[in-house]
Each structure stands twice: as C-alpha cells, then as structure tokens.
Amino acid sequence: MRINVHGGHSLKCRGASGYLDEVNEDRKVKNRVIEMLRANGHTVYDCTDDNSTSQKANLRAIVNKCNSHSVDLDVSIHLNAGGGTGTEVYVYSNKSKAKDEATRIAEKVSNTLGIRNRGVKTKTNLYVLRKTSSPALLVECCFVDNSKDKAHWNAEKCAKAIVEGILNRNIEASNTTNTSNNVNYIVEITADVLHVRKEPTTNSSIVTNVKKPYRYTIVEERNGWGRLKSNVGWIKLSYTKRV
C-alpha cells in the first residue's frame, strides 16, 4: 500500500491538552505507525506540519502535502477532548472507501487500550477529510481530559492497533521495531529542520540539525533511527524518504 500519515495540529499551533498533551502524544503514535507500516513493506509519507502558526495554515499545509502523493489511504491522528471517553474514527461519508479501515481501527484501539469504542462517525466539515484527494480517515485515539483514558493510554499499543486496523491482520512484535543492523543507503530529509541526536532516542542531546531536502547516507538502523555516515549522530527515519 501507499499511505499518507500525519499527526494533527502543529508544534506552533497546538491541539488539546489535559491529562495528556495532544500534539506530544499524536506525534508518538504517528512516528510508530509510520515505522511499523514501513517495516511491513508499505510506502508511507509523513505529511505532518510542525511549522504553521494558525489552524487554517496548518490544515492547508497538511492537505497540500497529502495531495502531492497518489495513495490508497490518508490517516490523520489526533487525541480528543470535551469530557467524553473512548476512541472514535471519522470518515467523510458512509460511502467512504476508508470506512472499513476506520471500523477496524476503532475496534482495535478500543480493545487494545481497554477504553470505550465510540465507533465510526461521519463528518463533512473536517478539512482533512473534505479536501484530501484519496480516501481519508481521522483517528481520535482517546480523550486527553478523561482520567480513565489517561490511565489506559499507551502510545505504542495504540500505534500497533492502528496499523493492524489498516492492514486487517495482526503484526508480529518483531515487525514493530527495527533492531540494530548495518545498512548503507541514501535518504532525503522531508522535514524542514530535523534534529541530529547523539544517540537514537528523543531524550538524547541534539548535536546539530539537517534540513530539507538534503541527502545523507545511513550506515546503521536502530529502532527507527538512522546513523549518519559522518558518524555525527542519529536522525529519525520517519522524517526521511529513501532515494
């Protein structure tokens, strides 16, 4: 499959917050969804926008990125707010070609996290559903302002549930994380600015930055990270594409 995936909102135009922060958590889920889909042989484009400073600009940037690719499915990842509980998935209409995937995702996330399944809902005024060219769905993983949902929250498990819903099959644990291995290939940076970290973890110190659309040689992979040939550090591979 060819799939667009993006996290909702922007680092500069953030979403909901409560017991959980939507942008922080949807990025965790988005990154792992991309890694797992790629590990299972699918082509995935990260259409996240982290730079827009307004909701309007953010939505337009995301949709422009999505529509620049011809794909089978667009997946938008969010966390909900408003006092409810559980997970739900939105599609544009009941005739949407993404409805089967949406139904499976809602069931998988609900069962995996142990939270309420609010089901699949239709909404015609959501910009990313209305303006994307390919079949699209929007996942509201859980409610950031519900203590029960927060207690059950696990970004890794949620990501795996979403992937299994998309693929309509269970995936093996060995396929959810890339183990360390030596490789040699070139990637092009797709993020406007991407941190290079000393170690392959977001908790590691930032050594420098690399910019779109420069290309770099990856010589080692570890848990979704790639080590640069220069040995200066590691970059997150979900913000790159192979060339």
Side-chain angles (χ1 to χ4, degrees):
M1 296 178 68
R2 295 167 63 86
I3 305 168
N4 288 329
V5 179
H6 71 265
H9 306 286
S10 163
L11 297 181
K12 301 176 182 178
C13 177
R14 304 181 73 88
S17 63
Y19 296 104
L20 297 166
D21 181 278
E22 179 178 11
V23 168
N24 290 347
E25 299 306 319
D26 75 36
R27 267 38 176 192
K28 294 176 186 177
V29 176
K30 177 265 298 183
N31 289 340
R32 291 299 288 130
V33 165
I34 290 172
E35 290 170 3
M36 293 179 195
L37 286 170
R38 287 176 176 169
N40 280 270
H42 303 280
T43 299
V44 188
Y45 302 99
D46 188 342
C47 298
T48 305
D49 165 49
D50 280 333
N51 298 306
S52 296
T53 56
S54 71
Q55 182 181 23
K56 187 175 182 180
N58 174 244
L59 291 171
R60 285 181 175 175
I62 290 169
V63 168
N64 287 340
K65 288 183 179 184
C66 288
N67 288 343
S68 68
H69 311 127
S70 177
V71 298
D72 303 296
L73 185 67
D74 287 305
V75 179
S76 181
I77 299 174
H78 289 251
L79 276 74
N80 218 336
T85 180
T87 187
E88 60 193 18
V89 184
Y90 285 92
V91 294
Y92 184 76
S93 74
N94 283 321
K95 294 182 180 180
S96 171
K97 293 182 179 179
K99 189 175 181 181
D100 287 346
E101 287 89 347
T103 301
R104 294 194 298 264
I105 289 171
E107 292 175 351
K108 282 281 187 178
V109 173
S110 171
N111 291 337
T112 299
L113 296 184
I115 59 177
R116 177 185 171 191
N117 182 0
R118 299 166 65 92
V120 176
K121 300 181 179 181
T122 61
K123 208 162 189 177
T124 58
N125 65 344
L126 290 177
Y127 193 89
V128 295
L129 300 183
R130 182 164 53 91
K131 293 292 188 177
T132 44
S133 302
S134 303
L137 59 85
L138 187 151
V139 186
E140 294 281 10
C141 300
C142 73
F143 279 75
V144 301
D145 52 357
N146 183 277
S147 59
K148 177 184 175 183
D149 282 17
K150 195 271 180 184
H152 286 257
W153 177 245
N154 183 302
E156 176 76 14
K157 290 181 179 179
C158 183
K160 184 171 183 286
I162 290 172
V163 171
E164 290 182 341
I166 292 170
L167 302 182
N168 196 23
R169 63 179 177 85
N170 294 332
I171 58 176
E172 297 296 328
S174 60
N175 286 334
T176 65
T177 303
N178 293 327
T179 56
S180 177
N181 62 292
N182 295 323
V183 294
N184 195 308
Y185 61 85
I186 297 173
V187 296
E188 181 177 302
I189 306 302
T190 58
D192 291 332
V193 178
L194 181 59
H195 296 319
V196 179
R197 296 186 181 270
K198 185 176 181 180
E199 299 295 336
T201 170
T202 54
N203 295 323
S204 181
S205 59
I206 297 171
V207 179
T208 186
N209 294 314
V210 291
K211 298 182 178 181
K212 173 183 180 180
Y214 292 121
R215 296 180 176 186
Y216 299 89
T217 300
I218 301 300
V219 295
E220 183 182 354
E221 292 179 351
R222 188 183 303 170
N223 299 331
W225 293 76
R227 182 166 62 85
L228 301 180
K229 185 177 180 179
S230 64
N231 206 31
V232 68
W234 298 74
I235 59 174
K236 195 74 170 173
L237 294 175
S238 56
Y239 293 101
T240 70
K241 64 179 180 181
R242 290 200 189 195
V243 295

